[in-house]
Amino acid sequence: MKQRTLGQGLTVSALGLGCMGMSEFYGPGDDAESTATIHRALDLGVTFLDTADIYGPFTNEVLVGKAIAGRRDEVVLATKFGIERRPDGTRVGVNGRPGYLRQACEASLRRLGVDHIDLYYQHRVDPAVPIEETWGAMAELVAAGKVRHLGISEAAPDVVRRAHAVHPITAGQYEYSLFTRDIEDEVLPLLRELGIALVAYSPLGRGFLTGTITSADQFGAADFRAANPRFQGGNFTANRALVTGVEQIARDKRVTPAQLSLAWVLAQGRDVVPIPGTKRRSYLEQNVAALDIALTRDEMAALEQAAPRGAVAGERYPAASLPRITS
């Protein structure tokens, strides 16, 4: 398995596995198949696993923890805190208070069944708490050996710079794909200036870029895409047309649209690590094959033409969620 380095020293598989959808947001889960998918990932050398306390809520960490039991040394384990939820799933809000952080970390360690977290992200920035306070407490977790490296997700550039001044940030996790490229303006240049790697979530446009989504009606009530602006009405029609262009390039190269889209993300730099999510072994194996796809200049140019930056229609989150993003 090819590897890449996050920040100044966290070596991970060049492709990670996003585990969120195994427990929530993308329809019903199947714990047995999800566990088998994690085991298959480890067998293939995909050792960078991504979860968070709110997924489930809480149950995804338990699932991941059980799946890696006995294989902990093979895994680079990433989880997150900062979006507070109750056990019934209702959201309390974003919470960056040091006291809450310490409790959240202990709870994640317990659910995962591990004695340390390799990469601990602040999932969303709390505008009511100075970032220096939150990151001072996060640095204490590193000093205590409970956390090895720190990350931040969906934070604005000035916040990233301030957090990094308190303790080095190893990775910034942001949505990034052919469909979502706004971080190229300010965020990605800043990450590179500071030596912070980009961990790209939703590198397949929340499944749109797989080519398997052909109707806005195919999502059940438990699938958050049913309420996502990019999957609704005229936005869906416009975005499906963009995918058609990507599909044609994939056919010409004899790969799947998903593999082509992942290859594009991987080609953006060795400091970029995509973490496509899946709960099925078959899709995992297809994703891993993208690591062996090299794109020519002409193919990169063709993708730029098929899915130009900024061409995607609709916001990437529902309006109610937008205030929590890049704050």
Side-chain angles (χ1 to χ4, degrees), residues 212-262:
T212 61
I213 297 172
T214 57
S215 170
D217 299 324
Q218 69 188 75
F219 305 116
D223 193 316
F224 98 107
R225 289 172 293 186
N228 186 286
R230 292 186 174 177
F231 293 83
Q232 296 181 330
N235 290 341
F236 181 93
T237 302
N239 295 332
R240 183 70 189 101
L242 294 176
V243 174
T244 300
V246 175
E247 290 174 323
Q248 182 58 57
I249 300 169
R251 281 194 293 270
D252 292 343
K253 197 168 178 64
R254 297 183 179 179
V255 299
T256 69
Q259 290 168 336
L260 184 69
S261 299
L262 286 174

Side-chain angles (χ1 to χ4, degrees), residues 40 47 148 150 159 176 308:
R40 181 60 176 151
T47 56
R148 298 285 171 84
L150 300 180
V159 176
Y176 189 54

Side-chain angles (χ1 to χ4, degrees), residues 23 84 111-112 151 153 174 188 231 235 243 276-277 291 296 302 317:
S23 301
E84 189 176 359
R111 284 188 294 265
L112 290 163
S153 180
Y174 295 84
L188 188 52
F231 293 83
N235 290 341
V243 174
L291 290 165
T296 67
Y317 281 93

